[in-house]
Coordinates of all heavy atoms in Angstrom, one line a residue:
M1135 N 0.9 -1.2 0.0 CA 0.0 0.0 0.0 C 0.9 1.2 0.0 O 1.9 1.3 0.7 CB -0.9 -0.1 1.2 CG -2.1 0.9 1.2 SD -3.3 0.3 0.0 CE -4.4 1.7 -0.1
S1136 N 0.5 2.2 -0.8 CA 1.3 3.4 -0.9 C 1.1 4.3 0.4 O 0.1 4.2 1.0 CB 1.0 4.2 -2.1 OG -0.3 4.5 -2.2
E1137 N 2.1 5.1 0.6 CA 2.1 6.0 1.8 C 0.9 7.0 1.7 O 0.2 7.2 2.6 CB 3.4 6.9 1.8 CG 4.1 6.8 3.1 CD 5.4 7.5 2.9 OE1 5.4 8.7 2.8 OE2 6.5 6.8 2.8
T1138 N 0.7 7.6 0.5 CA -0.4 8.5 0.3 C -1.4 7.8 -0.6 O -1.2 7.5 -1.7 CB 0.1 9.7 -0.5 OG1 1.2 10.3 0.2 CG2 -1.0 10.8 -0.5
N1139 N -2.6 7.5 0.0 CA -3.6 6.9 -0.7 C -4.4 7.9 -1.5 O -5.2 8.6 -0.9 CB -4.6 6.1 0.2 CG -5.5 5.2 -0.6 OD1 -5.4 5.1 -1.8 ND2 -6.5 4.7 0.1
L1140 N -4.1 8.0 -2.8 CA -4.8 9.0 -3.6 C -5.4 8.4 -4.8 O -4.8 8.2 -5.9 CB -3.7 10.0 -4.1 CG -4.2 11.3 -4.8 CD1 -5.0 12.2 -3.8 CD2 -3.0 12.1 -5.4
P1141 N -6.7 7.9 -4.6 CA -7.3 7.2 -5.7 C -7.7 8.0 -6.9 O -7.7 7.6 -8.0 CB -8.6 6.6 -5.1 CG -8.9 7.6 -3.9 CD -7.5 8.1 -3.4
E1142 N -8.0 9.3 -6.7 CA -8.3 10.2 -7.8 C -7.4 11.4 -7.7 O -6.9 11.8 -6.6 CB -9.8 10.7 -7.6 CG -10.8 9.7 -7.5 CD -11.0 9.0 -8.8 OE1 -10.7 9.6 -9.9 OE2 -11.5 7.8 -8.8
P1143 N -7.1 12.1 -8.8 CA -6.3 13.3 -8.8 C -7.0 14.4 -8.0 O -8.2 14.4 -8.0 CB -6.1 13.6 -10.2 CG -7.3 13.0 -11.0 CD -7.6 11.8 -10.2
K1144 N -6.2 15.2 -7.4 CA -6.8 16.4 -6.7 C -7.0 17.5 -7.8 O -6.2 17.8 -8.6 CB -5.8 16.9 -5.7 CG -6.2 18.2 -4.9 CD -5.1 18.5 -3.9 CE -5.5 19.8 -3.2 NZ -5.2 21.0 -3.9
I1145 N -8.3 18.0 -7.7 CA -8.6 19.1 -8.7 C -8.0 20.4 -8.2 O -8.3 20.8 -7.1 CB -10.2 19.2 -8.8 CG1 -10.7 17.9 -9.4 CG2 -10.5 20.4 -9.7 CD1 -12.3 17.8 -9.3
V1146 N -7.2 21.0 -9.0 CA -6.5 22.2 -8.7 C -7.5 23.4 -9.0 O -7.7 24.3 -8.2 CB -5.2 22.4 -9.4 CG1 -4.6 23.7 -9.1 CG2 -4.3 21.3 -9.1
D1147 N -8.1 23.3 -10.2 CA -9.0 24.3 -10.6 C -9.9 23.7 -11.7 O -9.5 22.8 -12.4 CB -8.3 25.6 -11.1 CG -9.1 26.8 -11.0 OD1 -10.4 26.7 -10.8 OD2 -8.5 27.9 -11.1
K1148 N -11.1 24.3 -11.9 CA -12.0 23.8 -12.9 C -11.9 24.7 -14.2 O -12.9 24.9 -14.8 CB -13.4 23.7 -12.4 CG -13.6 22.6 -11.4 CD -15.0 22.4 -11.0 CE -15.2 21.3 -10.0 NZ -16.5 21.2 -9.5
K1149 N -10.7 25.1 -14.5 CA -10.4 25.8 -15.7 C -8.9 25.6 -16.0 O -8.1 25.4 -15.0 CB -10.8 27.2 -15.7 CG -10.1 28.0 -14.6 CD -10.6 29.5 -14.6 CE -9.9 30.4 -13.7 NZ -9.9 30.0 -12.3
P1150 N -8.5 25.6 -17.3 CA -7.1 25.5 -17.5 C -6.3 26.7 -17.3 O -6.9 27.8 -17.1 CB -7.1 25.1 -19.0 CG -8.3 25.9 -19.6 CD -9.3 25.8 -18.5
V1151 N -5.0 26.6 -17.2 CA -4.2 27.8 -17.2 C -3.5 28.0 -18.5 O -3.0 27.0 -19.1 CB -3.1 27.7 -16.1 CG1 -2.2 26.4 -16.2 CG2 -2.2 28.9 -16.0
V1152 N -3.7 29.1 -19.1 CA -3.1 29.4 -20.4 C -1.8 30.1 -20.3 O -1.7 31.1 -19.6 CB -4.1 30.3 -21.3 CG1 -3.5 30.6 -22.6 CG2 -5.4 29.6 -21.4
M1153 N -0.8 29.5 -20.9 CA 0.6 30.1 -20.8 C 1.3 29.9 -22.0 O 1.1 28.9 -22.8 CB 1.3 29.6 -19.5 CG 1.2 28.1 -19.3 SD 1.7 27.6 -17.6 CE 2.9 28.7 -17.0
T1154 N 2.3 30.8 -22.3 CA 3.2 30.6 -23.5 C 4.5 30.0 -22.9 O 5.1 30.6 -22.1 CB 3.4 31.9 -24.2 OG1 2.2 32.4 -24.7 CG2 4.3 31.7 -25.4
L1155 N 4.8 28.8 -23.4 CA 6.0 28.1 -22.9 C 7.1 28.2 -23.9 O 6.8 28.2 -25.1 CB 5.6 26.6 -22.7 CG 4.6 26.3 -21.6 CD1 4.2 24.8 -21.6 CD2 5.0 26.8 -20.3
E1156 N 8.3 28.3 -23.4 CA 9.5 28.4 -24.3 C 9.7 26.9 -24.7 O 9.2 26.0 -24.2 CB 10.7 28.9 -23.5 CG 10.5 30.3 -23.0 CD 10.3 31.3 -24.2 OE1 11.0 31.2 -25.2 OE2 9.4 32.2 -24.0
A1157 N 10.6 26.8 -25.7 CA 11.0 25.5 -26.1 C 11.7 24.8 -25.0 O 12.4 25.4 -24.2 CB 12.0 25.6 -27.3
G1158 N 11.5 23.5 -24.8 CA 12.1 22.8 -23.7 C 11.3 21.6 -23.3 O 10.3 21.2 -23.9
K1159 N 11.7 21.0 -22.2 CA 11.1 19.8 -21.7 C 10.3 20.1 -20.4 O 10.8 20.8 -19.5 CB 12.2 18.7 -21.4 CG 11.7 17.3 -21.1 CD 12.9 16.4 -21.0 CE 12.5 15.0 -20.9 NZ 13.6 14.1 -20.8
Y1160 N 9.1 19.6 -20.3 CA 8.2 20.0 -19.2 C 7.7 18.7 -18.5 O 7.5 17.7 -19.2 CB 7.1 20.9 -19.7 CG 7.6 22.2 -20.2 CD1 7.9 22.4 -21.5 CD2 7.8 23.3 -19.3 CE1 8.4 23.6 -22.0 CE2 8.2 24.5 -19.7 CZ 8.5 24.7 -21.1 OH 9.0 25.9 -21.5
F1161 N 7.3 18.8 -17.3 CA 6.7 17.7 -16.5 C 5.4 18.2 -16.0 O 5.4 19.0 -15.0 CB 7.7 17.2 -15.4 CG 9.0 16.7 -15.9 CD1 10.0 17.5 -16.3 CD2 9.2 15.3 -15.9 CE1 11.2 16.9 -16.8 CE2 10.3 14.7 -16.4 CZ 11.4 15.6 -16.8
W1162 N 4.3 17.8 -16.6 CA 3.0 18.2 -16.2 C 2.5 17.4 -15.0 O 2.6 16.1 -15.0 CB 2.0 18.1 -17.3 CG 0.6 18.4 -17.0 CD1 0.0 19.7 -17.0 CD2 -0.5 17.5 -16.8 NE1 -1.3 19.5 -16.7 CE2 -1.6 18.2 -16.6 CE3 -0.5 16.1 -16.8 CZ2 -2.9 17.6 -16.3 CZ3 -1.8 15.5 -16.5 CH2 -2.9 16.3 -16.3
C1163 N 2.1 18.0 -14.0 CA 1.6 17.3 -12.8 C 0.2 16.7 -13.0 O -0.7 17.3 -13.4 CB 1.5 18.3 -11.6 SG 0.6 17.7 -10.2
S1164 N 0.2 15.4 -12.9 CA -1.1 14.6 -13.1 C -1.8 14.4 -11.8 O -3.0 14.0 -11.8 CB -0.8 13.3 -13.8 OG -0.1 12.4 -12.9
C1165 N -1.2 14.5 -10.6 CA -1.8 14.2 -9.4 C -2.6 15.4 -8.7 O -3.5 15.2 -7.9 CB -0.8 13.6 -8.4 SG 0.4 14.9 -7.7
G1166 N -2.1 16.6 -9.0 CA -2.8 17.8 -8.5 C -2.2 18.2 -7.1 O -2.7 19.1 -6.5
L1167 N -1.2 17.5 -6.7 CA -0.6 17.8 -5.3 C 0.5 18.9 -5.4 O 0.9 19.4 -4.4 CB -0.1 16.5 -4.7 CG -1.1 15.5 -4.4 CD1 -0.5 14.2 -3.8 CD2 -2.2 16.0 -3.5
S1168 N 1.1 19.1 -6.6 CA 2.2 20.0 -6.7 C 1.8 21.4 -6.3 O 0.7 21.9 -6.7 CB 2.7 20.0 -8.1 OG 3.7 21.0 -8.3
V1169 N 2.7 22.2 -5.6 CA 2.4 23.6 -5.3 C 3.0 24.4 -6.5 O 2.9 25.7 -6.4 CB 3.0 24.0 -4.0 CG1 2.2 23.3 -2.8 CG2 4.5 23.7 -3.9
N1170 N 3.5 23.8 -7.5 CA 4.1 24.5 -8.6 C 3.3 24.2 -9.8 O 3.8 23.9 -10.9 CB 5.6 24.0 -8.8 CG 6.3 24.9 -9.8 OD1 6.0 26.0 -10.0 ND2 7.3 24.2 -10.5
Q1171 N 1.9 24.3 -9.7 CA 1.0 24.0 -10.9 C 1.3 24.9 -12.1 O 1.7 26.1 -11.9 CB -0.4 24.2 -10.4 CG -0.8 23.1 -9.4 CD -0.8 21.7 -10.0 OE1 -1.0 21.5 -11.2 NE2 -0.5 20.7 -9.2
P1172 N 1.2 24.4 -13.3 CA 0.7 23.0 -13.6 C 1.8 22.0 -13.7 O 1.6 20.9 -14.2 CB 0.1 23.2 -15.0 CG 1.0 24.3 -15.6 CD 1.4 25.2 -14.5
F1173 N 3.0 22.3 -13.1 CA 4.1 21.4 -13.2 C 4.4 20.5 -12.0 O 4.0 20.9 -10.9 CB 5.3 22.2 -13.6 CG 5.1 23.0 -14.8 CD1 5.1 24.4 -14.8 CD2 5.0 22.4 -16.1 CE1 4.8 25.2 -15.9 CE2 4.7 23.2 -17.2 CZ 4.7 24.5 -17.1
C1174 N 5.0 19.4 -12.2 CA 5.3 18.5 -11.1 C 6.4 19.0 -10.3 O 7.4 19.7 -10.8 CB 5.8 17.2 -11.8 SG 6.5 15.9 -10.7
N1175 N 6.3 18.8 -9.0 CA 7.4 19.2 -8.0 C 7.8 18.0 -7.2 O 8.4 18.2 -6.2 CB 6.9 20.4 -7.2 CG 5.9 20.0 -6.1 OD1 5.3 18.9 -6.2 ND2 5.8 20.8 -5.1
G1176 N 7.3 16.8 -7.6 CA 7.7 15.6 -6.9 C 6.7 15.2 -5.8 O 6.9 14.2 -5.1
A1177 N 5.7 16.0 -5.6 CA 4.7 15.7 -4.5 C 3.9 14.4 -4.8 O 3.3 13.9 -3.9 CB 3.7 16.9 -4.4
H1178 N 4.0 13.9 -6.0 CA 3.3 12.6 -6.3 C 3.9 11.4 -5.6 O 3.4 10.3 -5.6 CB 3.3 12.4 -7.8 CG 4.6 12.2 -8.4 ND1 5.4 13.3 -8.9 CD2 5.4 11.1 -8.5 CE1 6.5 12.8 -9.3 NE2 6.6 11.5 -9.1
K1179 N 5.1 11.6 -5.0 CA 5.8 10.5 -4.4 C 5.0 9.8 -3.4 O 4.3 10.5 -2.6 CB 7.1 11.1 -3.8 CG 8.1 10.0 -3.5 CD 9.4 10.6 -3.0 CE 10.4 9.5 -2.8 NZ 11.7 10.0 -2.2
G1180 N 4.9 8.5 -3.5 CA 4.1 7.7 -2.6 C 2.7 7.5 -3.2 O 1.9 6.7 -2.6
T1181 N 2.4 8.1 -4.3 CA 1.1 7.8 -5.0 C 1.4 7.0 -6.3 O 2.5 6.8 -6.6 CB 0.3 9.1 -5.4 OG1 1.0 9.7 -6.5 CG2 0.3 10.1 -4.3
D1182 N 0.3 6.6 -6.9 CA 0.5 5.9 -8.2 C 0.6 6.8 -9.4 O 0.7 6.4 -10.5 CB -0.6 4.9 -8.4 CG -0.6 3.7 -7.5 OD1 0.5 3.4 -7.0 OD2 -1.6 3.2 -7.2
F1183 N 0.5 8.1 -9.1 CA 0.6 9.1 -10.2 C 2.0 9.4 -10.6 O 2.9 9.4 -9.8 CB -0.1 10.4 -9.8 CG -1.6 10.3 -9.7 CD1 -2.2 9.9 -8.5 CD2 -2.4 10.5 -10.8 CE1 -3.6 9.8 -8.4 CE2 -3.8 10.4 -10.7 CZ -4.4 10.0 -9.5
R1184 N 2.2 9.7 -11.9 CA 3.5 10.1 -12.4 C 3.3 11.4 -13.3 O 2.2 11.5 -13.9 CB 4.0 9.0 -13.3 CG 4.3 7.7 -12.6 CD 5.5 7.9 -11.6 NE 5.7 6.7 -10.8 CZ 5.2 6.4 -9.6 NH1 4.4 7.3 -9.1 NH2 5.5 5.3 -9.0
P1185 N 4.3 12.2 -13.4 CA 4.1 13.4 -14.3 C 4.1 13.0 -15.7 O 4.6 11.9 -16.1 CB 5.3 14.2 -14.0 CG 6.3 13.2 -13.4 CD 5.6 12.2 -12.7
V1186 N 3.4 13.8 -16.6 CA 3.4 13.6 -18.0 C 4.5 14.5 -18.6 O 4.5 15.7 -18.4 CB 2.0 14.0 -18.6 CG1 2.0 13.9 -20.1 CG2 1.0 13.0 -18.1
V1187 N 5.4 13.8 -19.3 CA 6.6 14.6 -19.8 C 6.2 15.0 -21.2 O 5.7 14.2 -22.0 CB 7.8 13.7 -19.8 CG1 9.0 14.5 -20.4 CG2 8.1 13.2 -18.4
F1188 N 6.5 16.3 -21.6 CA 6.3 16.7 -22.9 C 7.4 17.7 -23.3 O 8.0 18.3 -22.4 CB 4.9 17.3 -23.2 CG 4.6 18.6 -22.4 CD1 4.6 19.8 -23.1 CD2 4.2 18.6 -21.1 CE1 4.3 21.0 -22.4 CE2 3.9 19.7 -20.4 CZ 4.0 20.9 -21.1
E1189 N 7.6 17.8 -24.6 CA 8.7 18.6 -25.1 C 8.3 19.5 -26.2 O 7.5 19.1 -27.0 CB 9.9 17.6 -25.6 CG 11.2 18.3 -25.5 CD 12.3 17.2 -25.5 OE1 12.1 16.0 -25.4 OE2 13.5 17.7 -25.6
L1190 N 8.7 20.7 -26.2 CA 8.4 21.7 -27.2 C 9.6 22.1 -28.0 O 10.7 22.3 -27.3 CB 7.7 22.9 -26.6 CG 6.4 22.7 -25.8 CD1 6.0 24.1 -25.2 CD2 5.3 22.2 -26.7
S1191 N 9.6 22.1 -29.3 CA 10.7 22.4 -30.1 C 10.7 23.9 -30.4 O 11.7 24.5 -30.9 CB 10.8 21.6 -31.4 OG 9.6 21.8 -32.1
E1192 N 9.6 24.6 -30.1 CA 9.5 26.0 -30.3 C 8.5 26.6 -29.3 O 7.7 25.8 -28.7 CB 9.1 26.3 -31.7 CG 7.8 25.7 -32.1 CD 7.5 25.9 -33.6 OE1 8.5 25.8 -34.4 OE2 6.4 26.1 -34.0
P1193 N 8.5 27.9 -29.0 CA 7.6 28.4 -28.1 C 6.1 28.2 -28.5 O 5.8 28.2 -29.7 CB 7.9 29.9 -28.1 CG 9.3 30.1 -28.6 CD 9.4 28.9 -29.5
K1194 N 5.3 27.9 -27.5 CA 3.9 27.5 -27.9 C 2.9 28.0 -26.8 O 3.2 27.9 -25.6 CB 3.8 26.0 -28.0 CG 2.4 25.5 -28.5 CD 2.4 24.0 -28.6 CE 1.1 23.5 -29.2 NZ 1.0 22.1 -29.1
K1195 N 1.8 28.6 -27.2 CA 0.8 29.0 -26.2 C -0.1 27.8 -26.0 O -0.6 27.2 -26.9 CB 0.0 30.1 -26.8 CG -1.0 30.7 -25.8 CD -1.7 31.9 -26.4 CE -2.6 32.6 -25.4 NZ -3.3 33.8 -26.0
M1196 N -0.2 27.4 -24.7 CA -1.0 26.2 -24.4 C -2.0 26.4 -23.3 O -1.8 27.3 -22.4 CB 0.0 25.1 -23.9 CG 1.0 24.6 -24.9 SD 2.0 23.3 -24.4 CE 0.9 21.9 -24.4
A1197 N -3.1 25.7 -23.3 CA -4.1 25.7 -22.2 C -3.8 24.4 -21.5 O -4.2 23.3 -21.9 CB -5.5 25.7 -22.8
L1198 N -3.2 24.5 -20.3 CA -2.8 23.3 -19.6 C -3.8 22.9 -18.5 O -4.3 23.8 -17.8 CB -1.4 23.5 -18.9 CG -0.3 23.7 -19.9 CD1 0.9 24.3 -19.2 CD2 0.1 22.3 -20.5
C1199 N -4.2 21.7 -18.5 CA -5.2 21.2 -17.6 C -4.9 21.3 -16.2 O -3.8 21.0 -15.7 CB -5.5 19.7 -17.9 SG -6.6 18.9 -16.8
L1200 N -5.8 21.8 -15.4 CA -5.7 21.9 -13.9 C -6.7 21.1 -13.2 O -6.5 20.9 -12.0 CB -5.8 23.4 -13.5 CG -4.7 24.4 -13.8 CD1 -5.0 25.8 -13.3 CD2 -3.4 23.9 -13.2
C1201 N -7.7 20.6 -13.9 CA -8.7 19.7 -13.2 C -8.1 18.3 -13.1 O -8.5 17.5 -12.2 CB -10.0 19.7 -13.8 SG -10.2 18.7 -15.3
K1202 N -7.1 18.0 -13.9 CA -6.4 16.7 -13.9 C -7.3 15.6 -14.5 O -6.9 14.4 -14.3 CB -5.9 16.3 -12.6 CG -5.0 17.5 -11.9 CD -3.9 17.9 -12.8 CE -3.1 19.1 -12.1 NZ -2.0 19.5 -13.0
Y1203 N -8.4 15.9 -15.1 CA -9.3 14.8 -15.6 C -9.2 14.8 -17.2 O -10.0 14.1 -17.8 CB -10.7 15.0 -15.2 CG -10.9 14.4 -13.8 CD1 -10.6 15.2 -12.6 CD2 -11.4 13.1 -13.6 CE1 -10.8 14.7 -11.4 CE2 -11.6 12.6 -12.3 CZ -11.3 13.4 -11.2 OH -11.4 12.9 -9.9
T1204 N -8.3 15.6 -17.8 CA -8.2 15.6 -19.2 C -7.8 14.3 -19.8 O -7.0 13.5 -19.1 CB -7.2 16.7 -19.7 OG1 -7.2 16.7 -21.1 CG2 -5.8 16.4 -19.1
A1205 N -8.3 13.9 -21.0 CA -7.9 12.7 -21.6 C -6.7 13.0 -22.6 O -6.2 12.2 -23.2 CB -9.0 12.1 -22.4
G1206 N -6.4 14.3 -22.7 CA -5.4 14.7 -23.6 C -4.2 15.4 -23.0 O -3.7 16.5 -23.4
A1207 N -3.8 14.9 -21.8 CA -2.7 15.5 -21.0 C -1.5 15.8 -21.9 O -1.1 15.0 -22.7 CB -2.3 14.6 -19.9
P1208 N -0.9 17.0 -21.7 CA -1.2 17.9 -20.6 C -2.2 19.0 -20.9 O -2.5 19.9 -20.1 CB 0.2 18.6 -20.4 CG 0.8 18.7 -21.8 CD 0.3 17.4 -22.5
S1209 N -2.8 19.0 -22.1 CA -3.7 20.0 -22.6 C -5.1 19.8 -22.1 O -5.6 18.7 -21.9 CB -3.7 20.1 -24.1 OG -2.4 20.4 -24.6
C1210 N -5.8 20.9 -21.9 CA -7.2 20.9 -21.5 C -8.0 20.3 -22.6 O -7.8 20.7 -23.8 CB -7.7 22.3 -21.2 SG -9.4 22.5 -21.0
D1211 N -8.9 19.4 -22.3 CA -9.8 18.9 -23.4 C -11.3 19.2 -23.0 O -12.2 18.6 -23.6 CB -9.6 17.4 -23.6 CG -10.2 16.6 -22.4 OD1 -10.5 17.2 -21.3 OD2 -10.3 15.3 -22.5
G1212 N -11.5 20.1 -22.1 CA -12.9 20.5 -21.7 C -13.5 19.6 -20.6 O -14.6 19.7 -20.3
S1213 N -12.7 18.6 -20.1 CA -13.3 17.7 -19.2 C -13.8 18.4 -17.9 O -14.7 17.8 -17.2 CB -12.2 16.6 -18.8 OG -12.0 15.7 -19.8
H1214 N -13.2 19.5 -17.6 CA -13.6 20.2 -16.3 C -15.1 20.6 -16.4 O -15.7 20.8 -15.4 CB -12.7 21.4 -16.1 CG -12.8 22.5 -17.2 ND1 -11.9 22.4 -18.3 CD2 -13.5 23.6 -17.4 CE1 -12.2 23.4 -19.1 NE2 -13.2 24.1 -18.6
L1215 N -15.6 20.7 -17.6 CA -17.0 21.1 -17.8 C -17.9 20.0 -17.4 O -19.1 20.2 -17.1 CB -17.3 21.5 -19.3 CG -16.5 22.7 -19.8 CD1 -16.6 22.9 -21.3 CD2 -16.9 24.0 -19.0
K1216 N -17.4 18.8 -17.4 CA -18.3 17.6 -17.1 C -18.2 17.2 -15.6 O -18.9 16.3 -15.2 CB -17.8 16.4 -17.9 CG -18.1 16.6 -19.4 CD -17.7 15.4 -20.2 CE -17.0 15.8 -21.5 NZ -15.8 15.1 -21.9
L1217 N -17.3 17.9 -14.9 CA -17.2 17.6 -13.5 C -18.4 18.1 -12.7 O -18.8 19.2 -12.9 CB -15.9 18.2 -12.9 CG -14.6 17.7 -13.5 CD1 -13.4 18.5 -12.9 CD2 -14.4 16.2 -13.2
T1218 N -19.0 17.3 -11.8 CA -20.1 17.7 -11.1 C -19.7 18.6 -10.0 O -18.6 18.7 -9.6 CB -20.9 16.5 -10.5 OG1 -20.0 15.8 -9.6 CG2 -21.3 15.5 -11.6
D1219 N -20.7 19.3 -9.4 CA -20.4 20.3 -8.3 C -20.0 19.5 -7.1 O -19.4 20.1 -6.2 CB -21.7 21.1 -8.0 CG -21.9 22.2 -9.1 OD1 -20.9 22.5 -9.9 OD2 -23.0 22.7 -9.3
S1220 N -20.3 18.2 -7.0 CA -20.0 17.5 -5.8 C -18.5 17.2 -5.7 O -17.9 16.9 -4.7 CB -20.7 16.2 -5.7 OG -20.4 15.4 -6.8
V1221 N -17.8 17.3 -6.9 CA -16.4 17.2 -7.0 C -15.8 18.6 -6.8 O -15.9 19.4 -7.7 CB -15.9 16.6 -8.3 CG1 -14.4 16.4 -8.3 CG2 -16.6 15.3 -8.6
S1222 N -15.3 18.9 -5.6 CA -14.8 20.3 -5.4 C -13.4 20.5 -5.8 O -12.6 19.6 -5.8 CB -15.0 20.6 -3.9 OG -14.2 19.7 -3.1
A1223 N -13.2 21.8 -6.1 CA -11.8 22.2 -6.5 C -11.0 22.5 -5.3 O -11.4 22.7 -4.2 CB -11.9 23.4 -7.4
Ligands
LIG1326 S1 3.6 16.4 -8.2 FE1 1.8 15.8 -9.3 S2 2.6 14.4 -10.8 FE2 4.4 15.1 -9.7

């Protein structure tokens, strides 16, 4: 059993964060526990979550998922619109 029992990702916000990223390698936080959103800071340690690694060859404006329920990680796919009110941010 893992130290941190986290069956579902923690919802950071029910909207994406839009940012222009420079070329480079990024680690998108999939667990929602990082205090450095939308990026991984290692807080997933002890859970079954792992960061999603992506690389940009040129600067790109992106809408990065913060609800952590996207099927197109790291980008927002609108999944936050389907989250019920009982799932709190
Ligand atoms: S801190 Fe969330 S995936 Fe690493």
